[in-house]
Amino acid sequence: MNKVISKDGTSIAYDKTGNGPVLILVDGALCYRASGPNGPLAEQLKEDFTVYTYDRRGRGDSDEKKPYAVEREVEDIDALIQEAGGSAYVFGSSSGAALALEAARCLPAIKKLALYEAPFVVDDSRAGVPEDYLDQLTEHVASDRRGKAIKLFMGKGVGVPAIFITMMPFMPAWKKMKAIAHTLPYDTILTVDHQKGKSLSAEEWSSVTIPTLVGVGGKSPAWMNNAMQELANVLPNAKHRTLERQTHIVKPDALAPVLTEFFME
């Protein structure tokens, strides 16, 4: 494990593996280096890239300074890029895709960008989040109702079916998810404005002119497919890719070849 100091003094823990162009992987909600898809994905990519995985602030071995702001998370990515030599490719999945997109809007050091299933809701193919969704989530966290926070996030934010939410406390990862459930409002701040059933605005990301890949799983629900197609359409230099037989929980061996092809072309 290595550490880099972000602009506000927050210590960000990261791992580095492989050789080649620098590629930073950005986790989604409830994931960090010790629990989530990016460790296995890094193993798939290390033959072609120098891969950085890191604990987003408030998770794992990273600390945080409050109050939270999206800008601080962008500065964390910038600190990693500077540590890595000054430029990088970036990949983000789920709410990590929303963070990676915001970083690309702010940081010219990002040379290419890949996004997988940012949880945006752009039409009526599923219900948008309630108006008080962020307030509810924040209240659960403030009252240390971590389990309720996770269930609310998974249900209203991600759209996971109720039967799976009921089963979650019995999953091996439940304890790890509860340990970082206090960061769920951070992911929600990143996404909530784009989860209300409204079309995306090209103006918001007009400065993201770098080559961008927007991916979605072929078995993912219609609302997600619609959102990722629209995101690819509004970004200035993006292409859309469907990963057949994949869902939101994309398999590293299905994703890695797609990322390698895109970043190396």
Side-chain angles (χ1 to χ4, degrees), residues 4-8 10 12 14 22 24-26 52 54 56-57 70-90 99-100 102-111:
V4 65
I5 305 301
S6 193
K7 185 177 180 179
D8 71 344
T10 295
I12 301 298
Y14 71 92
V22 173
I24 295 174
L25 308 182
V26 184
Y52 283 71
Y54 74 104
R56 286 173 53 188
R57 58 176 50 214
V70 172
E71 291 81 3
R72 303 293 84 76
E73 288 224 70
V74 171
E75 289 168 0
D76 299 344
I77 293 174
D78 188 42
L80 287 168
I81 293 173
Q82 299 313 312
E83 179 77 6
S87 65
Y89 303 144
V90 173
L99 174 55
E102 179 64 15
R105 191 178 68 84
C106 301
L107 304 176
I110 297 176
K111 301 306 180 186

Side-chain angles (χ1 to χ4, degrees), residues 13-174:
Y14 71 92
D15 288 328
K16 171 184 172 183
T17 187
N19 293 284
V22 173
L23 172 56
I24 295 174
L25 308 182
V26 184
D27 271 316
L30 299 172
C31 297
Y32 56 110
R33 288 179 305 127
S35 180
N38 280 344
L41 180 60
E43 286 298 306
Q44 294 275 341
L45 294 166
K46 68 181 183 180
E47 296 301 318
D48 296 296
F49 303 95
T50 301
V51 187
Y52 283 71
T53 56
Y54 74 104
D55 292 338
R56 286 173 53 188
R57 58 176 50 214
R59 310 181 188 193
D61 294 311
S62 293
D63 59 21
E64 64 173 327
K65 295 185 182 296
K66 296 184 178 181
Y68 175 81
V70 172
E71 291 81 3
R72 303 293 84 76
E73 288 224 70
V74 171
E75 289 168 0
D76 299 344
I77 293 174
D78 188 42
L80 287 168
I81 293 173
Q82 299 313 312
E83 179 77 6
S87 65
Y89 303 144
V90 173
F91 166 72
S93 60
S94 195
S95 54
L99 174 55
L101 183 56
E102 179 64 15
R105 191 178 68 84
C106 301
L107 304 176
I110 297 176
K111 301 306 180 186
K112 279 189 175 183
L113 177 68
L115 311 169
Y116 186 79
E117 295 205 354
F120 297 162
V121 182
V122 301
D123 55 25
D124 61 0
S125 54
R126 66 155 271 196
V129 298
E131 285 300 319
D132 63 346
Y133 169 58
L134 179 57
D135 290 338
Q136 289 185 55
L137 192 60
T138 301
E139 176 58 27
H140 284 327
V141 169
S143 302
D144 202 32
R145 297 190 295 263
R146 291 173 177 250
K148 286 188 175 182
I150 294 170
K151 291 179 179 181
L152 176 65
F153 179 85
M154 289 295 183
K156 298 298 184 183
V158 182
V160 174
I163 183 63
F164 293 108
I165 294 174
T166 301
M167 295 170 58
M168 287 181 68
F170 305 100
M171 296 169 55
W174 181 250

Side-chain angles (χ1 to χ4, degrees), residues 180-215:
I180 60 169
H182 61 283
T183 63
L184 286 173
Y186 307 167
D187 294 275
T188 303
I189 290 169
L190 280 161
T191 59
V192 69
D193 288 344
H194 304 298
Q195 293 183 301
K196 299 179 178 179
K198 299 178 181 178
S199 295
L200 303 175
S201 169
E203 293 181 2
E204 181 173 0
W205 299 299
S206 60
S207 63
V208 184
T209 58
I210 57 174
T212 302
L213 177 69
V214 179

